[in-house]
Amino acid sequence: MISYKTLGLVNTREMFAKAVKGGYAIPAFNFNNMEQLQAIVMAAVETKSPVILQVSKGARDYANQTLLRYMAEGAVEYAKELGCEKPEIVLHLDHGDSFETCKSCIDMGFSSVMIDGSHLPYEENVALTKKVVEYAHQFDVTVEGELGVLAGVEDEVSAEESHYTKPEEVVDFVTKTGCDSLAISIGTSHGAYKFTPEQCTVDPETGRLLPPPLAFDVLEAIEKELPGFPIVLHGSSSVPQDDVDTINKYGGKLVAAVGIPEEQLRKASKSAVCKINIDSDSRLAMTAAVRKTLAEKPGEFDPRKYLGPARASMKELYMHKIINVLGSNDKL
């Protein structure tokens, strides 16, 4: 059993309370490799923001759980080395699919886990989430549950249709499970293809697809039922069209990739939404930079020469999200 506290990590309880009260959201950035981790830490330190390092089950398998433990500890020490005296860094399991997966992460030093039972019948979701909460809280690890289903694809998580969270269920779910935060469905979606062209309208000036608006009425109804309770939005990448265009220009093939407009995420972050998950935007920034470098320098084969620009591009993206979308800068 490895306690996250010995790694220098924190759980989400205090940072979420501050975020709800302060009207901003904590960035939850998924990472799969060293360059992403470096970019996240550099951006968080430079903007003086708390941050959640988010790992999916697939990313954990890819990286190796032992290496992840030391990468998380290294992230804390790196933040200190960069000048942050008291970094607030969470290591969080994204979309845990079983009690066993969540337990394994808790035992290996994660400070927060998500148990996603949203695909299960309601009572089974409640029972599974409660079981994870009872185990996690013994070690002061915080737990995120989910009600409602997001469409789209992210690693092993896949659903063709979304189902909005039912506001009438949230009090019962939170009360019975004891979860510390609740992921809801109000129209966000996983991946870079969040909406079909048929769901979108076309901007007459640019010809680009415009996604349907988020269901803020559902969010407001949930807030009314659970005043001050930490709410989480998954699938909140904006899919920057500049990166999509760069990828396509240099040999990629991303067709009708559409994300969540940043103005809608800004609005959400001022509500009880205190954690916003961003993954695809980082992947796009990285891929765009790598494709551009290799296209312009076809003889290059040193990974540092194309992953370096990718890291810089991701850092710029993370800083933009923290300052201009989530408002979590200068909170340390």
Side-chain angles (χ1 to χ4, degrees), residues 263-279:
E263 59 268 22
Q264 294 196 44
L265 296 174
R266 271 192 289 271
K267 180 179 177 180
S269 67
K270 291 179 170 61
S271 68
V273 173
C274 62
K275 172 177 179 272
I276 292 182
N277 294 8
I278 296 168
D279 185 4

Side-chain angles (χ1 to χ4, degrees), residues 55 193 261 305:
V55 182
Y193 300 94
K305 297 296 176 62

Side-chain angles (χ1 to χ4, degrees), residues 2-204:
I2 297 153
S3 170
Y4 69 86
K5 295 175 184 179
T6 65
L7 306 181
L9 300 166
V10 300
N11 67 25
T12 60
R13 194 170 290 118
E14 188 175 337
M15 66 168 60
F16 281 1
K18 289 179 181 176
V20 171
K21 188 176 180 181
Y24 61 91
I26 308 294
F29 296 131
N30 288 66
F31 79 100
N32 301 278
N33 59 27
M34 183 185 74
E35 285 77 17
Q36 284 179 305
L37 183 62
Q38 288 174 314
I40 292 169
V41 174
M42 287 189 288
V45 170
E46 287 194 30
T47 59
K48 299 178 181 176
S49 172
V51 71
I52 296 170
L53 301 174
Q54 198 154 263
V55 182
S56 67
K57 183 184 175 186
R60 185 172 180 245
D61 292 341
Y62 178 82
N64 176 270
Q65 63 176 9
T66 303
L67 276 174
L68 266 179
R69 164 199 167 185
Y70 289 104
M71 288 176 81
E73 186 174 19
V76 174
E77 295 306 314
Y78 184 37
K80 291 177 181 177
E81 185 181 301
L82 291 174
C84 182
E85 196 173 317
K86 292 184 178 179
E88 292 183 11
I89 298 175
V90 172
L91 181 62
H92 175 76
L93 170 66
D94 190 23
H95 288 289
D97 61 350
S98 68
F99 171 78
E100 290 73 24
T101 297
C102 291
K103 180 182 183 300
S104 176
C105 287
I106 293 165
D107 293 349
M108 285 298 290
F110 279 61
S111 57
S112 176
V113 295
M114 178 200 186
I115 178 63
D116 182 359
S118 61
H119 59 288
L120 298 171
Y122 179 78
E123 292 301 336
E124 290 182 31
N125 187 3
V126 168
L128 177 60
T129 304
K130 182 182 180 188
K131 185 177 181 181
V132 172
V133 168
E134 287 175 345
Y135 185 78
H137 281 184
Q138 296 177 77
F139 308 103
D140 202 24
V141 170
T142 41
V143 178
E144 174 186 328
E146 180 167 351
L147 271 178
V149 178
L150 271 69
V153 178
E154 180 186 34
D155 285 1
E156 301 86 0
V157 181
S158 176
E160 290 187 9
E161 294 183 4
S162 64
H163 300 282
Y164 287 164
T165 303
K166 298 175 182 176
E168 63 270 20
E169 291 181 345
V170 296
V171 172
D172 183 70
F173 184 85
V174 167
T175 303
K176 286 181 176 176
T177 64
C179 65
D180 301 284
S181 60
L182 183 65
I184 63 170
S185 174
I186 59 169
T188 55
S189 179
H190 290 128
Y193 300 94
K194 298 185 183 298
F195 307 98
T196 65
E198 292 75 23
Q199 292 175 294
C200 302
T201 56
V202 178
D203 186 328

Side-chain angles (χ1 to χ4, degrees), residues 229-252:
F229 191 81
I231 301 298
V232 176
L233 283 189
H234 284 244
S236 297
S237 284
S238 298
V239 188
Q241 293 303 300
D242 286 351
D243 287 331
V244 172
D245 291 345
T246 299
I247 290 169
N248 290 340
K249 178 181 177 181
Y250 293 109

